[in-house]
Amino acid sequence: MIVVCGIASEPPVARITAELDALGLPFAMLHQRRFQELPLELEATGTAVRGRIPYDGGSVDCADVTGIYLRPMDWRRLPEVRGADESTVRRCELWHAALITWSELAPGRVMNRESAMASNMSKPHQAQLIQRSGFLVPETLVTNDPELVQEFREQHGELVYKSISGIRSIVRILDRQALDRLPLIRYCPVQFQRYVTGTNLRVHTVADQVFATRVETDRVDYRYAHSDGGHAELSAWQPPEDLAERCLRLAAQLGLELAGIDLMLADDGEVYCFEVNPCPAFTYYEAHTGQPIAQAAALALARR
């Protein structure tokens, strides 16, 4: 049995459940927003968890679960929690704590355990892990000192800037308007990197499989190209064997069964790695390229 947890209508969750259905693989949908109706009955003893996972129409023994797909949203942002009384908030918090504890100790395949996803909560920390795996990372400065940014810019030329947390931010060029706002970073450290030009790649690793997407764009952050008046063309791409192996090795070293790796085939011939997303919205790439990412994930979840 496979357990899928999250918001059922969210595209990645919906694609996983659709593929499980199509493949005839039994699964239980654990609806995150229904924490009050679906209480978790779990007991952690040492390194094991015993109990049952409830779902519509029944429950499944933890021992019978071969795989878990996790894509819950931040429970503090659930509509059922906003404005709720203290007991409801506490119940929601404990429900999610039990879920995370179980997923950490579950012996089957988990996409992904929270401990493995934690590296993305600090982009500077993750960048060090990426470098240790053998990938190049653009020269980086994390600071709240405007003068250091100016010195870094003089040394490396054009820069981009982004957040240092796991919260998504739009990558921008440090242009004249941004430079005028530079004193504001004294209130919040920002990550600056040397601007690398080339072709964007998004590589999804699913267990031992690799799905690479080539992105041609006229914007720095192709995710927002269309809303920024630009374009982004996505196509399936076959990476060289050594690059595919490096991506699989990076995901394994981070403990990720499912990962979205952001690379750049730079104009100077090098391959740079910007980030590893531990909870990728793979449906965007699947829809544009036809790559069977969801199917690969569903099949991997069925293999203990």
Side-chain angles (χ1 to χ4, degrees):
M1 176 70 82
I2 294 162
V3 172
V4 178
C5 180
I7 308 299
S9 60
E10 212 229 338
V13 177
R15 283 291 299 124
I16 292 289
T17 55
E19 284 297 335
L20 291 170
D21 255 336
L23 293 166
L25 296 171
F27 71 94
M29 180 67 217
L30 186 55
H31 296 273
Q32 183 189 11
R33 294 181 59 183
R34 297 174 57 188
F35 60 90
Q36 298 199 79
E37 306 167 41
L38 303 172
L40 297 173
E41 303 171 7
L42 304 174
E43 178 187 6
T45 56
T47 58
V49 175
R50 293 196 299 266
R52 304 194 69 80
I53 305 299
Y55 64 96
D56 286 338
S59 64
V60 58
D61 192 302
C62 287
D64 296 329
V65 175
T66 60
I68 307 169
Y69 177 77
L70 289 173
R71 193 178 167 85
M73 68 178 288
D74 185 341
W75 65 266
R76 292 163 295 189
R77 299 173 60 191
L78 291 173
E80 291 76 11
V81 172
R82 295 176 191 165
D85 57 58
E86 186 177 342
S87 64
T88 300
V89 174
R90 181 59 175 161
R91 184 182 183 88
C92 184
E93 181 181 16
L94 291 173
W95 190 92
H96 285 83
L99 172 70
I100 296 305
T101 299
W102 170 54
S103 65
E104 284 293 313
L105 299 176
R109 193 187 301 275
V110 180
M111 297 181 176
N112 282 302
R113 302 181 199 272
E114 186 170 88
S115 57
M117 292 194 286
S119 71
N120 195 236
M121 294 300 101
S122 169
K123 289 183 172 62
H125 169 62
Q126 191 190 70
Q128 295 179 61
L129 300 178
I130 290 170
Q131 283 183 305
R132 289 176 195 168
S133 75
F135 277 102
L136 293 175
V137 174
E139 290 82 351
T140 302
L141 172 69
V142 178
T143 186
N144 65 344
D145 186 335
E147 292 183 6
L148 289 180
V149 177
Q150 294 286 11
E151 293 174 10
F152 190 68
R153 186 166 176 261
E154 290 174 6
Q155 182 180 1
H156 296 292
E158 199 162 27
L159 305 178
V160 296
Y161 62 94
K162 61 185 76 171
S163 72
I164 60 175
S165 73
I167 298 174
R168 173 184 283 200
S169 64
I170 302 177
V171 182
R172 298 288 195 189
I173 290 284
L174 188 67
D175 56 15
R176 176 49 56 189
Q177 288 185 328
L179 284 168
D180 290 341
R181 301 194 305 273
L182 201 55
L184 295 175
I185 71 170
R186 293 191 185 279
Y187 303 99
C188 181
V190 176
Q191 177 169 280
F192 300 87
Q193 286 184 324
R194 177 172 66 85
Y195 178 40
V196 179
T197 59
T199 302
N200 286 279
L201 299 175
R202 162 55 79 93
V203 177
H204 289 95
T205 60
V206 186
D208 57 356
Q209 291 186 267
V210 172
F211 301 92
T213 300
R214 183 184 179 101
V215 184
E216 301 288 350
T217 184
D218 58 352
R219 292 294 184 267
V220 175
D221 194 330
Y222 67 84
R223 299 170 302 173
Y224 300 93
H226 294 292
S227 61
D228 199 31
H231 74 273
E233 302 296 331
L234 281 66
S235 59
W237 184 72
Q238 183 62 50
E241 186 174 340
D242 66 320
L243 179 57
E245 289 177 354
R246 287 168 63 194
C247 289
L248 288 171
R249 193 160 54 246
L250 172 59
Q253 289 172 350
L254 294 176
L256 299 172
E257 294 283 354
L258 171 66
I261 303 173
D262 292 319
L263 304 177
M264 173 72 78
L265 286 178
D267 292 334
D268 62 10
E270 300 285 1
V271 178
Y272 291 85
C273 182
F274 297 132
E275 185 179 343
V276 182
N277 190 325
C279 195
F282 61 84
T283 48
Y284 170 69
Y285 304 88
E286 188 179 67
H288 282 81
T289 66
Q291 297 176 99
I293 301 171
Q295 183 185 80
L299 289 169
L301 288 167
R303 300 194 301 268
R304 184 177 289 275

